[in-house]
Amino acid sequence: MEFNKRLIELRKSKGLYQADVAKHVGVARATYGAYEQGNRQPDFDTLQSIANFFEVSTDYLLGRTSTIQEPSSSYDIPVLKNSPLKNFTDADYLLLQEIKKHPVLFNELSVDPEKKVREIVKLHKMKKLLLEDDEELGDGFGDLKD
């Protein structure tokens, strides 16, 4: 099966629109649409992001195999098996698996992790402050009785 047909099949099987996949992969909707139409081919990084998003291998996307590669376990991260990071705790692996579900965030973390973590911490603090403000102000109606 051709690359563009695989993309269409995978997207429809998840009940998604082209815009949904494009957003998660980090490309414009028109660009992703061109992939599905067979008018464009993604670069290597984008191809990997698409494979990660659909949880398939790049070989499957490219038609080199007809078997969708299912993860053998929740900790199936081949890149880490022989690295210094192999001593991750279960919580570390679970966090990594959760982040991998968001390809754009995962890619941004791999480019400049310290900057992205600072942004996430800042957003968390802002959310916390906003929630505290909401609690202090109430719903704006004071002590009205029904």
Side-chain angles (χ1 to χ4, degrees):
M1 185 181 288
E2 296 175 27
F3 173 71
N4 63 320
K5 304 283 189 232
R6 291 258 162 109
L7 288 180
I8 295 167
E9 177 185 278
L10 288 165
R11 177 179 57 79
K12 288 184 175 181
S13 74
K14 294 193 179 274
L16 299 171
Y17 295 104
Q18 287 181 347
D20 299 326
V21 179
K23 178 182 175 186
H24 286 285
V25 173
V27 298
R29 202 248 6 116
T31 302
Y32 183 79
Y35 298 158
E36 285 194 2
Q37 293 169 1
N39 297 331
R40 282 186 76 170
Q41 298 294 318
D43 60 31
F44 295 123
D45 291 334
T46 305
L47 180 68
Q48 188 62 54
S49 292
I50 293 169
N52 289 343
F53 178 73
F54 286 119
E55 297 180 335
V56 298
S57 68
T58 54
D59 281 347
Y60 177 78
L61 287 176
L62 296 172
R64 296 177 61 182
T65 181
S66 59
T67 306
I68 295 179
Q69 183 180 349
E70 298 290 332
S72 59
S73 75
S74 61
Y75 305 138
D76 187 23
I77 308 171
V79 176
L80 299 179
K81 287 183 180 174
N82 296 319
S83 78
L85 302 176
K86 66 183 178 188
N87 296 323
F88 270 18
T89 66
D90 285 350
D92 295 333
Y93 280 114
L94 291 173
L95 177 61
L96 184 58
Q97 289 299 328
E98 194 60 35
I99 291 172
K100 282 178 63 178
K101 293 178 184 176
H102 307 279
V104 173
L105 175 62
F106 186 73
N107 288 334
E108 287 176 358
L109 280 169
S110 66
V111 172
D112 190 353
E114 291 176 5
K115 178 182 176 188
K116 199 62 180 173
V117 168
R118 282 193 304 271
E119 289 175 7
I120 292 170
V121 169
K122 184 178 179 180
L123 287 171
H124 177 72
K125 288 178 181 178
M126 290 170 63
K127 179 183 174 187
K128 189 175 177 182
L129 285 172
L130 289 172
L131 290 175
E132 288 173 0
D133 286 348
D134 284 349
E135 289 175 8
E136 289 175 13
L137 296 175
D139 58 11
F141 295 106
D143 294 329
L144 293 177
K145 305 259 185 207
D146 289 334

